[in-house]
mmCIF file with all atom_site columns, all heavy atoms in Angstrom:
data_model
loop_
_atom_site.group_PDB
_atom_site.id
_atom_site.type_symbol
_atom_site.label_atom_id
_atom_site.label_alt_id
_atom_site.label_comp_id
_atom_site.label_asym_id
_atom_site.label_entity_id
_atom_site.label_seq_id
_atom_site.pdbx_PDB_ins_code
_atom_site.Cartn_x
_atom_site.Cartn_y
_atom_site.Cartn_z
_atom_site.occupancy
_atom_site.B_iso_or_equiv
_atom_site.pdbx_formal_charge
_atom_site.auth_seq_id
_atom_site.auth_comp_id
_atom_site.auth_asym_id
_atom_site.auth_atom_id
_atom_site.pdbx_PDB_model_num
ATOM 1  N N   . ILE A 1 325 ? -86.195 49.820 -167.897 1.00 64.00 ? 325 ILE A N   1
ATOM 2  C CA  . ILE A 1 325 ? -87.275 50.472 -167.233 1.00 64.00 ? 325 ILE A CA  1
ATOM 3  C C   . ILE A 1 325 ? -88.435 50.478 -168.191 1.00 64.00 ? 325 ILE A C   1
ATOM 4  O O   . ILE A 1 325 ? -88.328 51.079 -169.335 1.00 64.00 ? 325 ILE A O   1
ATOM 5  C CB  . ILE A 1 325 ? -86.964 51.885 -166.776 1.00 64.00 ? 325 ILE A CB  1
ATOM 6  C CG1 . ILE A 1 325 ? -85.757 51.910 -165.721 1.00 64.00 ? 325 ILE A CG1 1
ATOM 7  C CG2 . ILE A 1 325 ? -88.150 52.591 -166.115 1.00 64.00 ? 325 ILE A CG2 1
ATOM 8  C CD1 . ILE A 1 325 ? -85.434 53.227 -165.316 1.00 64.00 ? 325 ILE A CD1 1
ATOM 9  N N   . VAL A 1 326 ? -89.521 49.951 -167.873 1.00 64.00 ? 326 VAL A N   1
ATOM 10 C CA  . VAL A 1 326 ? -90.681 49.887 -168.779 1.00 64.00 ? 326 VAL A CA  1
ATOM 11 C C   . VAL A 1 326 ? -91.565 51.054 -168.302 1.00 64.00 ? 326 VAL A C   1
ATOM 12 O O   . VAL A 1 326 ? -92.098 51.118 -167.254 1.00 64.00 ? 326 VAL A O   1
ATOM 13 C CB  . VAL A 1 326 ? -91.442 48.565 -168.677 1.00 64.00 ? 326 VAL A CB  1
ATOM 14 C CG1 . VAL A 1 326 ? -92.565 48.567 -169.672 1.00 64.00 ? 326 VAL A CG1 1
ATOM 15 C CG2 . VAL A 1 326 ? -90.485 47.414 -169.045 1.00 64.00 ? 326 VAL A CG2 1
ATOM 16 N N   . LEU A 1 327 ? -91.844 51.931 -169.276 1.00 65.00 ? 327 LEU A N   1
ATOM 17 C CA  . LEU A 1 327 ? -92.656 53.090 -168.957 1.00 65.00 ? 327 LEU A CA  1
ATOM 18 C C   . LEU A 1 327 ? -93.495 53.293 -170.237 1.00 65.00 ? 327 LEU A C   1
ATOM 19 O O   . LEU A 1 327 ? -93.235 53.070 -171.407 1.00 65.00 ? 327 LEU A O   1
ATOM 20 C CB  . LEU A 1 327 ? -91.764 54.385 -168.893 1.00 65.00 ? 327 LEU A CB  1
ATOM 21 C CG  . LEU A 1 327 ? -90.808 54.452 -167.652 1.00 65.00 ? 327 LEU A CG  1
ATOM 22 C CD1 . LEU A 1 327 ? -89.936 55.636 -167.731 1.00 65.00 ? 327 LEU A CD1 1
ATOM 23 C CD2 . LEU A 1 327 ? -91.586 54.456 -166.350 1.00 65.00 ? 327 LEU A CD2 1
ATOM 24 N N   . PRO A 1 328 ? -94.767 53.791 -170.018 1.00 66.00 ? 328 PRO A N   1
ATOM 25 C CA  . PRO A 1 328 ? -95.624 54.056 -171.072 1.00 66.00 ? 328 PRO A CA  1
ATOM 26 C C   . PRO A 1 328 ? -95.095 55.321 -171.782 1.00 66.00 ? 328 PRO A C   1
ATOM 27 O O   . PRO A 1 328 ? -94.660 56.208 -171.206 1.00 66.00 ? 328 PRO A O   1
ATOM 28 C CB  . PRO A 1 328 ? -96.994 54.336 -170.365 1.00 66.00 ? 328 PRO A CB  1
ATOM 29 C CG  . PRO A 1 328 ? -96.606 54.842 -169.012 1.00 66.00 ? 328 PRO A CG  1
ATOM 30 C CD  . PRO A 1 328 ? -95.472 54.118 -168.695 1.00 66.00 ? 328 PRO A CD  1
ATOM 31 N N   . SER A 1 329 ? -95.163 55.220 -173.152 1.00 64.00 ? 329 SER A N   1
ATOM 32 C CA  . SER A 1 329 ? -94.631 56.231 -173.926 1.00 64.00 ? 329 SER A CA  1
ATOM 33 C C   . SER A 1 329 ? -95.614 57.137 -174.548 1.00 64.00 ? 329 SER A C   1
ATOM 34 O O   . SER A 1 329 ? -95.294 58.148 -175.259 1.00 64.00 ? 329 SER A O   1
ATOM 35 C CB  . SER A 1 329 ? -93.737 55.652 -175.057 1.00 64.00 ? 329 SER A CB  1
ATOM 36 O OG  . SER A 1 329 ? -94.552 54.690 -175.801 1.00 64.00 ? 329 SER A OG  1
ATOM 37 N N   . ASP A 1 330 ? -96.946 56.749 -174.554 1.00 65.00 ? 330 ASP A N   1
ATOM 38 C CA  . ASP A 1 330 ? -97.923 57.669 -175.089 1.00 65.00 ? 330 ASP A CA  1
ATOM 39 C C   . ASP A 1 330 ? -99.060 57.847 -174.049 1.00 65.00 ? 330 ASP A C   1
ATOM 40 O O   . ASP A 1 330 ? -98.975 57.379 -172.942 1.00 65.00 ? 330 ASP A O   1
ATOM 41 C CB  . ASP A 1 330 ? -98.640 56.897 -176.343 1.00 65.00 ? 330 ASP A CB  1
ATOM 42 C CG  . ASP A 1 330 ? -99.144 55.560 -175.953 1.00 65.00 ? 330 ASP A CG  1
ATOM 43 O OD1 . ASP A 1 330 ? -98.842 55.098 -174.760 1.00 65.00 ? 330 ASP A OD1 1
ATOM 44 O OD2 . ASP A 1 330 ? -99.848 54.767 -176.768 1.00 65.00 ? 330 ASP A OD2 1
ATOM 45 N N   . GLY A 1 334 ? -97.577 59.243 -170.389 1.00 65.00 ? 334 GLY A N   1
ATOM 46 C CA  . GLY A 1 334 ? -96.516 58.586 -171.130 1.00 65.00 ? 334 GLY A CA  1
ATOM 47 C C   . GLY A 1 334 ? -95.185 59.313 -170.879 1.00 65.00 ? 334 GLY A C   1
ATOM 48 O O   . GLY A 1 334 ? -95.192 60.580 -170.716 1.00 65.00 ? 334 GLY A O   1
ATOM 49 N N   . THR A 1 335 ? -94.113 58.578 -171.012 1.00 66.00 ? 335 THR A N   1
ATOM 50 C CA  . THR A 1 335 ? -92.758 59.173 -170.801 1.00 66.00 ? 335 THR A CA  1
ATOM 51 C C   . THR A 1 335 ? -91.849 58.801 -171.998 1.00 66.00 ? 335 THR A C   1
ATOM 52 O O   . THR A 1 335 ? -91.732 57.643 -172.348 1.00 66.00 ? 335 THR A O   1
ATOM 53 C CB  . THR A 1 335 ? -92.093 58.564 -169.475 1.00 66.00 ? 335 THR A CB  1
ATOM 54 O OG1 . THR A 1 335 ? -92.945 58.824 -168.419 1.00 66.00 ? 335 THR A OG1 1
ATOM 55 C CG2 . THR A 1 335 ? -90.734 59.178 -169.226 1.00 66.00 ? 335 THR A CG2 1
ATOM 56 N N   . PRO A 1 337 ? -88.143 58.774 -172.716 1.00 62.00 ? 337 PRO A N   1
ATOM 57 C CA  . PRO A 1 337 ? -86.830 58.948 -172.144 1.00 62.00 ? 337 PRO A CA  1
ATOM 58 C C   . PRO A 1 337 ? -85.929 59.837 -172.964 1.00 62.00 ? 337 PRO A C   1
ATOM 59 O O   . PRO A 1 337 ? -84.914 60.261 -172.465 1.00 62.00 ? 337 PRO A O   1
ATOM 60 C CB  . PRO A 1 337 ? -86.388 57.539 -172.021 1.00 62.00 ? 337 PRO A CB  1
ATOM 61 C CG  . PRO A 1 337 ? -87.103 56.717 -172.956 1.00 62.00 ? 337 PRO A CG  1
ATOM 62 C CD  . PRO A 1 337 ? -88.465 57.426 -173.152 1.00 62.00 ? 337 PRO A CD  1
#
Side-chain angles (χ1 to χ4, degrees):
I325 298 176
V326 180
L327 296 171
S329 59
D330 55 354
T335 301

